[in-house]
Amino acid sequence: MDDVRLEVSLRDMSGVARNLETVGRALWVARTRAVLDSAGVAAEPVPLGWRAEAYVAGRAAIVARGRSRDGLVELEVVGMRRWRAGVARAGRADTARAIQEAGEALLADQWAQIRVLKRTIWQPGRVQTE
């Protein structure tokens, strides 16, 4: 997942921020279903043991953020469930590029925090930040 790329195409600029929040939730649900399907299970297994419980709780508490280089678009998600998007101004080409940059930055931040969480729980003596 280190090499994540997001492509964006815009047609209607009204309500961009609200629509980004909806799209973020829908994409994460689709991704989660695909992962579960590939594992041959219908739902995420119940965490067994304190480490698995700590991981699930820690993952739900992660606040990931992404921002476009020009600051036009800012995204934030808590536990990949509660999404917030901000768009400073909307102009087709600039906004599409900015959404792509912010989305990629958000995903990179989320995966970096997941890696740190995993190390913290399963390799507590080797915790490093990135």
Side-chain angles (χ1 to χ4, degrees), residues 6-12 14-32 75-77 80-85 99-100 103 106-107:
L6 177 70
E7 292 188 30
V8 176
S9 173
L10 298 175
R11 294 173 202 250
D12 179 9
S14 64
V16 172
R18 185 183 68 253
N19 291 333
L20 283 175
E21 293 166 0
T22 301
V23 167
R25 283 189 296 274
L27 287 173
W28 195 255
V29 167
R31 181 238 176 239
T32 300
L75 303 173
E76 179 180 278
V77 64
M80 297 309 275
R81 296 188 187 278
R82 291 191 314 264
W83 291 78
R84 186 194 64 75
I99 290 168
Q100 181 173 335
L106 179 136
L107 292 174

Side-chain angles (χ1 to χ4, degrees), residues 66-109:
R67 184 173 190 253
S68 61
R69 287 188 293 269
D70 61 7
L72 177 63
V73 175
E74 292 184 5
L75 303 173
E76 179 180 278
V77 64
V78 178
M80 297 309 275
R81 296 188 187 278
R82 291 191 314 264
W83 291 78
R84 186 194 64 75
V87 179
R89 65 182 193 290
R92 282 183 194 268
D94 286 353
T95 304
R97 178 199 38 76
I99 290 168
Q100 181 173 335
E101 290 173 4
E104 289 172 354
L106 179 136
L107 292 174
D109 184 36

Side-chain angles (χ1 to χ4, degrees), residues 33-51:
R33 285 186 182 142
V35 167
L36 294 174
D37 286 348
S38 71
V41 296
E44 188 171 0
V46 174
L48 300 174
W50 73 267
R51 290 179 199 263

